[in-house]
Amino acid sequence: VPGTHKEPELRPHNPLMGDRSKSHTLVAQLNDTDVPVPAIIARGDLTVHSERIVHGSGGNMSKDSWRRAYVIAYRSKGTVEAERA
C-alpha cells in the first residue's frame, strides 16, 4: 500500500488464524482508503522494500514447494527484547 511507510505509527498486526501457535502469518489492518498496488514478479525474482510499508502476497499455490524469504531488519536491543517477551 503506497505511502504506508511514512505513517507515524506502525499499524496493528494480528495473527492470521487468531493464534500465533497456529500460524506465524501476521496481517495488518487496512483502512477503507487503502489502495494496494501489486508488484508483479516472476518465479525466482525478489522484492526489496521497507518493513514499514504495508505489504503482502497471496497464498503459495504450489503443492510441492515452500515459499522462501530472507529478511534483514535492524532493531534496537529494546525492540528485540520486547518482541521476544
Side-chain angles (χ1 to χ4, degrees):
V1 178
T4 53
H5 64 293
K6 296 179 182 178
E7 293 177 353
E9 297 290 327
L10 187 63
R11 292 187 184 192
H13 286 65
N14 300 303
L16 178 63
M17 303 298 204
D19 184 346
R20 287 296 295 265
S21 67
K22 295 179 183 175
S23 172
H24 289 281
T25 302
L26 295 175
V27 292
Q29 295 179 3
L30 294 178
N31 299 325
D32 292 338
T33 56
D34 288 337
V35 180
V37 176
I40 308 300
I41 61 173
R43 182 178 178 179
D45 285 352
L46 60 94
T47 65
V48 177
H49 52 268
S50 167
E51 67 179 335
R52 289 195 52 99
I53 196 158
V54 174
H55 62 281
S57 64
N60 182 2
M61 304 308 287
S62 172
K63 296 182 193 290
D64 60 357
S65 178
W66 291 90
R67 179 176 288 155
R68 294 170 181 88
Y70 184 75
V71 179
I72 300 174
Y74 297 95
R75 291 179 167 79
S76 69
K77 180 179 178 183
T79 299
V80 171
E81 290 170 349
E83 290 175 339
R84 294 179 180 174

